[in-house]
Amino acid sequence: MSIRTLARLGALPAATAALTLAVVAPAGAHVGATVTDASAGAFTVATFSVPHGCEDSPTTKIEIQVPESVLSVTPTRNPYYDLEATITQLDEPTTDAHGNEVTERTSSITYTATTPLPDGQRDTFELSFQVPDAEGEVLAFPTIQTCEKGRTDWVEVAAEGQDAEALEHPAPSFEILPASGDGHGGQAAAAEPAGVADDSQDDSQEDDDGSAALGWAGLAAGLLGLVAGGLALARTRTAS
C-alpha cells in the first residue's frame, strides 16, 4: 500500500473528527465545566470556562454557586480577579470524609474582575473539591455572569426526561460516575501478589551476582593471557 493511499485513508477519520468538532462547537458558547475525575468520592478539580461576554459586553464578575451536597471547595487564584467565598451555616452538623464534624459549608465562590474580561476573549476558573458519593446524580453549579452591561444566569438544570441540549442557559454540570474502588476515586494501581516483589528482587540480586562473577573470571583470564604472552616472548628472545 503506497503512502499516497494511506494518506487518503487517513483523511476520512480526520474529516469525520473535524465534522464532529463543528457539530459540538456551538455548545462551547455556554459557560461550561470539565472535571479531572467524575467518580463518586474522588477528589477532583472542576474548570469553569467563560467563552464570551454578555451581548458583546465585557465580563466583570463570575459567581459560582456550590451544590449543597458539596461541603467545601478550594478555589484557584486568578490574577485578574478578586476572590470571595460565601460561607453558610448548616441546619444540622454533619461529618466530612475525614470524620470531622462540619457545621458550615461553602455556598458560593465569586470572582470579581480587576480588569474586565473582553467579549472576544475567554477565561477559566478552578474549584477543587470531593465529589459526593452519589453515583448517577447530576451535579450542577449554577453560575451568574455579570458584565458591564447586563448579565447572564447560567442556572437552568434539565428536568427528568428533558434534553439538556435544549436549555438556553444551562448550569455547568456533570454526572457522577461509579467509584473506582480505591477510596479516592482515582484509578487504583494493580496490586502485586504476595511474594512476587521479593522473588523479583532475589532474582535480580542473583543476576547481579552472576554478572559480577563472570566479570571477575574474564578479568582473571585476561591477566593469565598477558602473563603467558610475556613468557612466550621472553623465551623467543632467549632462543635467538
Side-chain angles (χ1 to χ4, degrees):
M1 186 178 292
S2 66
I3 295 177
R4 180 175 297 177
T5 303
L6 288 172
R8 289 177 178 174
L9 290 175
L12 180 58
T16 304
L19 179 60
T20 303
L21 290 175
V23 170
V24 302
H30 301 319
V31 172
T34 57
V35 293
T36 55
D37 193 339
S39 305
F43 290 90
T44 191
V45 175
T47 301
F48 298 82
S49 176
V50 178
H52 58 74
C54 311
E55 299 294 336
D56 301 330
S57 180
T59 300
T60 58
K61 184 169 64 175
I62 294 293
E63 178 188 344
I64 303 171
Q65 299 174 5
V66 181
E68 293 184 2
S69 56
V70 176
L71 296 177
S72 175
V73 298
T74 302
T76 300
R77 296 176 60 186
N78 188 311
Y80 296 105
Y81 300 80
D82 291 328
L83 177 63
E84 181 182 3
T86 300
I87 306 300
T88 302
Q89 293 293 321
L90 297 175
D91 294 335
E92 296 182 2
T94 187
T95 304
D96 63 13
H98 303 287
N100 302 315
E101 184 181 73
V102 179
T103 59
E104 58 187 21
R105 58 177 292 270
T106 305
S107 57
S108 69
I109 298 293
T110 302
Y111 288 90
T112 302
T114 54
T115 301
L117 174 64
D119 175 60
Q121 299 179 17
R122 65 184 294 274
D123 211 338
T124 58
F125 308 87
E126 294 180 341
L127 299 181
S128 173
F129 58 93
Q130 184 176 19
V131 179
D133 188 8
E135 176 187 341
E137 178 182 317
V138 174
L139 202 62
F141 293 76
T143 301
I144 309 298
Q145 179 184 11
T146 302
C147 301
E148 290 183 347
K149 295 181 180 180
R151 80 176 202 180
T152 303
D153 296 352
W154 303 96
V155 298
E156 298 176 1
V157 178
E160 185 175 357
Q162 182 181 10
D163 183 6
E165 296 295 332
L167 300 176
E168 184 176 1
H169 299 107
S173 60
F174 67 93
E175 181 177 346
I176 300 177
L177 302 179
S180 65
D182 66 350
H184 295 283
Q187 183 66 31
E192 293 188 32
V196 171
D198 292 339
D199 292 342
S200 299
Q201 185 175 1
D202 293 341
D203 292 342
S204 177
Q205 183 65 37
E206 291 176 2
D207 291 342
D208 291 343
D209 292 343
S211 299
L214 289 175
W216 284 111
L219 179 60
L223 291 174
L224 290 174
L226 288 174
V227 171
L231 291 174
L233 179 62
R235 289 174 182 174
T236 301
R237 288 179 178 178
T238 301
S240 61

